[in-house]
Amino acid sequence: MGSPMPELMVGDWFGKANVDAATTMLTEPFVHDFVRANIWHLKGRDADLLVDTGMGIRPLAPEVDTPPGKPLIVVATHIHLDHVGSLHEFPLRMGPKDSAAQFASMDDAVTYAYMFHNLDGAVSKLPAPGWKAADYRIPSAPLTRALDEGDVIDLGDRKFRVLHLPGHSPDSIALFDETDGLFFAGDTIYDGMLIDDLPDSDRTAYCRTMQRLLDLPIRIGHGGHGPSFDGARMREIASSYLRRRERFVSGL
């Protein structure tokens, strides 16, 4: 089953919901739902973790309540605009090895930022007087660590293994706590309509990824969009995608 969304407290630009004692979800409720992503903040013993950084239209760093002096490890699950917009605001920047070199330039064609420039209803509220979607740019954010399959991110009291799960994008990664079953999925899988038709999407790779996810023993999954989900719901979503692709390939 999917998990009910915790109550979202909406501020001037960001919305914030407390998922549990350690986990907060942030989002940008005034941004078009196509690029309104979930941002996950997890408190660890020795370091905190921030998974993805939204659009970067307004500063994100002041919204993240990591105590001064405590490391905040920020992971971009892939280089698309709605996940890397505020990455430059943070000193400890990690992201996928497959796109690592491109974080320094944040080229519009790689991030798909150009899609936002002419998006109807890009925002439902202006973030600043005179703001225009056509002026949107993502600042350079060179990675301090490139992440590959099997790498580990250690917060002191829990460790996340990096999984390379291409399909939605070639560089998509996710983070999995093998001890606790906590899964930060990025756009690899979420409880909503999965996107596999972008210029760099690969449906064959996505099917392999979905097959892999069928066997991943998660307890709770937090995706890049939509509500959180348990293991049974994740297998439903993955199985549904695989059936859809099989029907398409067979011409039914």
Side-chain angles (χ1 to χ4, degrees):
M1 59 179 273
S3 299
M5 290 289 270
E7 184 182 0
L8 191 71
M9 305 299 291
V10 178
D12 187 40
W13 183 254
F14 290 94
K16 202 177 284 193
N18 294 319
V19 178
D20 56 41
T23 313
T24 303
M25 185 201 79
L26 299 96
T27 190
E28 296 165 289
F30 304 107
V31 172
H32 192 291
D33 60 2
F34 185 68
V35 286
R36 185 188 308 140
N38 297 332
I39 301 161
W40 300 98
H41 178 216
L42 179 71
K43 296 174 182 175
R45 187 190 68 204
D46 301 335
D48 284 4
L49 174 68
L50 191 71
V51 181
D52 290 328
T53 63
M55 290 287 292
I57 293 171
R58 291 272 294 265
L60 173 63
E63 306 293 325
V64 181
D65 62 351
T66 293
K70 186 180 185 184
L72 174 64
I73 297 167
V74 184
V75 174
T77 59
H78 58 304
I79 200 170
H80 291 170
L81 72 165
D82 48 333
H83 299 265
V84 299
S86 281
L87 191 61
H88 67 282
E89 298 177 35
F90 303 94
L92 292 177
R93 299 186 294 264
M94 303 184 188
K97 178 184 175 186
D98 277 42
S99 56
Q102 295 162 316
F103 280 81
S105 62
M106 291 293 189
D107 185 87
D108 279 6
V110 174
T111 63
Y112 295 126
Y114 68 88
M115 291 185 173
F116 188 64
H117 293 160
N118 300 304
L119 183 63
D120 286 339
V123 296
S124 60
K125 166 185 169 179
L126 285 181
W131 180 92
K132 293 183 179 65
D135 298 330
Y136 175 75
R137 298 290 182 273
I138 301 174
S140 168
L143 297 180
T144 56
R145 181 187 177 191
L147 299 172
D148 202 2
E149 172 77 32
D151 287 345
V152 173
I153 294 171
D154 190 351
L155 304 185
D157 53 347
R158 61 162 78 226
K159 296 179 180 180
F160 287 91
R161 187 165 298 282
V162 176
L163 307 180
H164 178 222
L165 299 170
H168 168 76
S169 68
D171 63 337
S172 284
I173 59 171
L175 305 179
F176 183 47
D177 181 336
E178 295 165 306
T179 302
D180 178 60
L182 176 58
F183 182 51
F184 289 109
D187 280 2
T188 297
I189 193 165
Y190 50 84
D191 201 341
M193 178 53 70
L194 301 178
I195 305 295
D196 68 355
D197 58 355
L198 294 167
D200 64 351
S201 297
D202 182 334
R203 290 168 176 168
T204 302
Y206 218 170
C207 286
R208 287 196 296 268
T209 284
M210 292 302 172
Q211 289 285 358
R212 184 178 181 188
L213 291 179
L214 290 175
D215 298 322
L216 195 69
I218 78 159
R219 173 183 61 83
I220 184 76
H222 299 316
H225 305 269
S228 299
F229 47 86
D230 63 12
R233 178 60 183 147
M234 183 176 76
R235 288 186 288 276
E236 283 179 8
I237 298 165
S239 297
S240 175
Y241 180 84
L242 289 167
R243 285 194 302 270
R244 195 164 79 244
R245 293 308 310 155
E246 285 167 9
R247 285 197 302 270
F248 180 85
V249 170
S250 62
L252 298 177

